[in-house]
Amino acid sequence: MKTTESKPAIDETIKLKVVIDEKQISEWKAKFGGVYELPVEDKTAYLREPTMKDYRRAFNAMSNGDLAFGEELITCLFIGGDEEIKTNDEYFFPARKEIRDFFNYDEAEIQSEGNNSIITIGEFKCKVRIITRNDIKIAEKKNPSGKAFVTQEKLFEAICIEKDEVFNDRDNASIRMPLFQAIEKLQNKKVASLKKL
């Protein structure tokens, strides 16, 4: 009787370590601009810099819960590395927490100029007029489906008097996020505090 030696089954759980070299990173930088490394213990994800389109997708996904925001942002920004960061909860949860750093943009400076305000972000400037309640109502009406950042875009269009060319790029998150924060501050110059009596 002939016996056959069986080969051990290949362990499907063993994954090869993904190695990304400087050449690949340089190619990604040329293609995407900013590239970020996101290590989680023994795994690493590489993410491209987010655009406003990415933020819109992630914020719209939030209608399904906060978890969906992180899933959407990591998925759309992922350009390489270990897939487990997207698929394995042990890696995904800390990665999701870490991506909040994408919201750390330069803060806009606001200077009054008569009834107008100058918003400066880095070396770029725009001039806006006073925001009225009617401006906000009209901007909200132009966003009937409540999509993320559409109301802010419509409000900026309504109040902008003049702007540097960079403000025409609606997908530039490094300009748009601080701009929207500045517009929010201009709406809330006075401090309110509700107290229960």
Side-chain angles (χ1 to χ4, degrees), residues 66-101:
D66 289 345
L67 183 68
F69 176 86
E71 288 175 329
E72 185 64 35
L73 203 54
I74 288 174
T75 298
C76 70
L77 300 181
F78 187 90
I79 54 175
D82 297 295
E83 292 281 333
E84 290 91 340
I85 290 182
K86 295 190 301 182
T87 60
N88 182 325
D89 289 351
E90 289 182 13
Y91 293 99
F92 171 74
F93 290 139
R96 174 180 163 247
K97 184 179 176 189
E98 196 63 25
I99 61 169
R100 285 185 280 193
D101 285 346

Side-chain angles (χ1 to χ4, degrees), residues 36 47-48 50 55 73 77 99-105:
Y36 296 84
L47 309 174
R48 64 176 172 77
Y55 284 127
L73 203 54
L77 300 181
I99 61 169
R100 285 185 280 193
D101 285 346
F102 280 132
F103 294 101
N104 293 333
Y105 291 103

Side-chain angles (χ1 to χ4, degrees), residues 40 53 67 86 92 116 119 151 169 171 176 178 184 190:
V40 180
K53 193 178 296 180
L67 183 68
K86 295 190 301 182
F92 171 74
N116 302 320
I119 300 173
T151 301
D169 183 357
D171 212 26
R176 279 305 193 255
E184 183 70 24
K190 306 276 185 201

Side-chain angles (χ1 to χ4, degrees), residues 2-67:
K2 188 176 183 182
T3 60
T4 56
E5 240 180 76
S6 62
K7 293 183 181 177
I10 297 173
D11 184 353
E12 295 295 326
T13 62
I14 296 175
K15 303 278 185 187
L16 294 175
K17 175 74 176 148
V18 176
V19 178
I20 305 295
D21 59 13
E22 288 301 317
K23 180 179 182 243
Q24 179 64 65
I25 292 171
S26 295
E27 289 173 9
W28 284 336
K29 285 181 178 180
K31 184 175 181 179
F32 301 114
V35 174
Y36 296 84
E37 180 182 67
L38 178 58
V40 180
E41 295 287 330
D42 60 327
K43 306 290 182 199
T44 302
Y46 293 88
L47 309 174
R48 64 176 172 77
E49 193 162 22
T51 64
M52 288 305 294
K53 193 178 296 180
D54 300 320
Y55 284 127
R56 279 190 287 276
R57 285 177 56 183
F59 276 101
N60 287 334
M62 269 180 67
S63 64
N64 297 322
D66 289 345
L67 183 68

